[in-house]
Amino acid sequence: MAVINYKSRVADKMLNDRLEEVGAVLIQGPKWCGKTTTAQRVSGSQVLMANPETMRRSRQLAQSDMSLLLAGNTPRLFDEWQSIPDLWDSIRFEVDQRQEKGQFILTGSAVPYREEDEDDKRINHSGAGRYAWLRMRPMSLWESGESTGEVSLRALFDGQTKIAGQCKWGLQDIAFMLCRGGWPDAISRNERVALRTPFNYLDAIAESDISRVDNTMRNPARVRRLLRSLARHQGTQANMSVIRADMVANDDASLSESTIASYLTALENIFVVEDMSAWSTNLRSKTAIRTSRTRYFVDPSVAVAALNIAPADLINDLETFGLLFETMAMRDLRVYAESFDAKVCHYRDKDALECDAVVEMRNGRYGLVEIKLGGTYSIEEAQRSLNKLHKKIDTDKAGEPAFRMVLTATGMYAYALKDGTLVVPIGCLKP
């Protein structure tokens, strides 16, 4: 089992870069993903409001003299800053006064709101020029030391498509990593504790976190049913009516779509779910692109816990394994892509042509990725699908894809097929 190494976190370099650019950096992401540890590595002083006594005293100080709370060696870290929402505007003002970079780091595992403003509970995160936003997720396989990193996603955009790599993981290994998830505390623990971590995380969501985010009591049993339904629809564009139909079998028939929507919003605000937007590009024909968002959890282990399954269950149900592996692959692709300011989208059109992931850089360059468990037949199927989409794209306007890749769970080697399509095991990929 890999030993955790925080020096390999993609967010470390991103945080250092942002601190050189602006006065304050906000790190957001799900709880337990390592935000505080990442921030502590570079902070000069800290206010850790996970400690109830620290929170109490900090709130009192904020009410009496905010400037005293902001004073301290820089960068000054405010962990779970949303506990004192007024910090946002105070720090923005302080950054303007100091006119220096790298003054503050804020971390948060929930989108904050103000109790006194019932019409607009979410804080307006204005802060252009003063704040930078940094999104953290559970650890990718490269960050946890479980990918060799012989194939660089960034290098593919630079034309380095002559690849080679060797992956040591088999299907059972990937099943374990998927069920364990990328939670830092789980990665260096024994198998029993590691596999239990996502279930503890799900309990915290259902019993507490989803209600605390906006002080609205929500039914834990209903939360679990919603998470289970979302787990069954990972990687799909299931709409609200589909999710409701899935839930009412074990819920009150009067359950409304608006109620489900409010639960989903709360899950988004604590960074448990992270849907993916559709990719739009220039096509040779007038093909209607489906623009609905594709549903994903921030980590595949959340779906595993919601479905109450284990690695052996995935081995015995390869269809479910494939769906949840897609979530795992999306987690890693998002982590890697954001390290060089790229984003990950999906493509689906009315002709049922799909591309699991389109990695797009800010300058418009893009790469096409299909995600498969592995095996000759599925790789060939993915290759055909990628080539079919390639032919649909108006490359005179959109440009040629930087690469076409089949990202697999298994397979010993990373290599290129005769037509240039890359086959890359997830255990060989890095930013």
Side-chain angles (χ1 to χ4, degrees):
M1 187 175 296
V3 176
I4 189 169
N5 177 9
Y6 279 107
K7 291 182 180 179
S8 67
R9 293 304 297 262
V10 170
D12 285 345
K13 183 180 185 304
M14 295 175 67
L15 175 58
N16 286 324
D17 289 346
R18 299 296 91 80
L19 288 170
E20 291 180 358
E21 298 163 3
V22 296
V25 179
L26 170 62
I27 306 176
Q28 291 183 305
K31 63 189 297 184
W32 303 4
C33 76
K35 300 182 300 298
T36 303
T37 301
T38 293
Q40 284 179 316
R41 291 176 63 84
V42 297
S43 65
S45 60
Q46 306 167 4
V47 181
L48 305 180
M49 281 181 279
N51 182 329
E53 181 61 19
T54 300
M55 183 189 297
R56 183 184 67 81
R57 292 181 180 179
S58 298
R59 282 175 169 171
Q60 290 176 342
L61 193 57
Q63 292 174 357
S64 60
D65 191 341
M66 181 69 84
S67 64
L68 294 177
L69 187 59
L70 299 184
N73 293 334
T74 60
R76 186 157 173 79
L77 165 62
F78 289 94
D79 180 52
E80 297 298 339
W81 74 274
Q82 69 273 8
S83 303
I84 308 178
D86 288 341
L87 267 173
W88 183 268
D89 289 335
S90 297
I91 287 177
R92 181 175 55 184
F93 178 78
E94 187 70 15
V95 166
D96 282 343
Q97 298 305 302
R98 296 185 187 182
Q99 289 293 301
E100 295 182 7
K101 309 301 183 186
Q103 297 299 294
F104 299 99
I105 305 172
L106 288 74
T107 71
S109 55
V111 175
Y113 83 109
R114 288 193 174 100
E115 293 184 23
E116 63 270 20
D117 188 355
E118 290 298 323
D119 292 329
D120 185 11
K121 290 185 176 181
R122 293 175 62 133
I123 287 181
N124 178 13
H125 274 181
S126 60
R130 294 92 156 186
Y131 280 95
W133 282 256
L134 177 59
R135 182 70 175 264
M136 280 191 70
R137 298 176 178 84
M139 296 174 79
S140 64
L141 294 188
W142 184 74
E143 292 174 301
S144 62
E146 292 161 315
S147 170
T148 63
E150 294 167 283
V151 179
S152 166
L153 186 64
R154 179 67 182 88
L156 296 180
F157 282 99
D158 293 332
Q160 298 178 30
T161 53
K162 292 184 178 180
I163 63 169
Q166 187 168 356
C167 179
K168 60 184 177 180
W169 306 121
L171 207 58
Q172 290 183 328
D173 299 307
I174 297 297
F176 170 76
M177 296 172 194
L178 188 159
C179 292
R180 178 206 62 200
W183 311 104
D185 189 54
I187 288 170
S188 58
R189 307 295 292 277
N190 64 57
E191 181 174 333
R192 183 192 66 81
V193 175
L195 291 177
R196 183 64 202 172
T197 298
F199 289 85
N200 295 336
Y201 180 74
L202 186 138
D203 288 342
I205 294 169
E207 301 296 333
S208 174
D209 294 350
I210 195 171
S211 296
R212 290 177 58 188
V213 64
D214 57 3
N215 290 335
T216 300
M217 291 302 299
R218 294 184 172 89
N219 185 329
R222 181 169 286 173
V223 175
R224 293 175 188 276
R225 283 192 285 272
L226 174 57
L227 290 171
R228 186 176 180 84
S229 178
L230 291 173
R232 285 196 287 257
H233 293 97
Q234 284 290 280
T236 75
Q237 297 175 306
N239 59 32
M240 206 67 66
S241 62
V242 171
I243 294 172
R244 179 187 178 279
D246 199 21
M247 291 179 65
V248 293
N250 296 295
D251 204 315
D252 186 342
S254 64
L255 175 65
S256 68
E257 291 185 12
S258 62
T259 296
I260 297 172
S262 73
Y263 276 54
L264 278 170
T265 298
L267 290 174
E268 291 173 358
N269 287 347
I270 56 175
F271 308 104
V272 173
V273 296
E274 186 177 10
D275 293 348
M276 182 173 290
S277 59
W279 183 57
S280 59
T281 189
N282 294 291
L283 301 177
R284 297 184 189 278
S285 59
K286 294 182 179 180
T287 302
I289 300 174
R290 300 191 182 279
T291 58
S292 300
R293 296 166 67 87
T294 302
R295 300 193 179 279
Y296 290 107
F297 283 120
V298 72
D299 190 272
S301 65
V302 183
V304 167
L307 295 171
N308 194 27
I309 57 179
D313 298 311
L314 294 179
I315 298 297
N316 293 325
D317 183 355
L318 294 183
E319 182 177 356
T320 298
F321 196 168
L323 292 173
L324 298 189
F325 174 68
E326 184 177 317
T327 301
M328 182 184 193
M330 291 301 184
R331 178 201 67 194
D332 285 14
L333 286 172
R334 280 168 155 162
V335 171
Y336 302 156
E338 288 191 359
S339 71
F340 52 91
D341 289 329
K343 63 181 180 179
V344 184
C345 304
H346 72 84
Y347 176 90
R348 286 175 172 81
D349 63 32
K350 68 176 182 63
D351 298 323
L353 180 61
E354 301 182 2
C355 185
D356 293 325
V358 180
V359 183
E360 184 177 35
M361 299 182 68
R362 286 187 174 181
N363 62 10
R365 298 201 67 206
Y366 64 95
L368 308 176
V369 183
E370 275 286 274
I371 299 168
K372 300 292 182 182
L373 283 181
T376 301
Y377 175 78
S378 63
I379 289 172
E380 290 176 349
E381 182 182 45
Q383 178 189 20
R384 288 192 293 269
S385 181
L386 289 169
N387 289 335
K388 187 174 181 180
L389 175 57
H390 185 187
K391 291 177 182 178
K392 270 195 171 185
I393 297 170
D394 188 343
T395 52
D396 290 335
K397 296 179 180 178
E400 292 284 346
F403 59 87
R404 303 184 308 278
M405 178 198 298
V406 183
L407 184 60
T408 65
T410 61
M412 289 186 63
Y413 301 105
Y415 58 95
L417 298 172
K418 289 183 179 180
D419 68 350
T421 301
L422 309 178
V423 180
V424 182
I426 196 170
C428 291
L429 196 62
K430 74 172 184 179

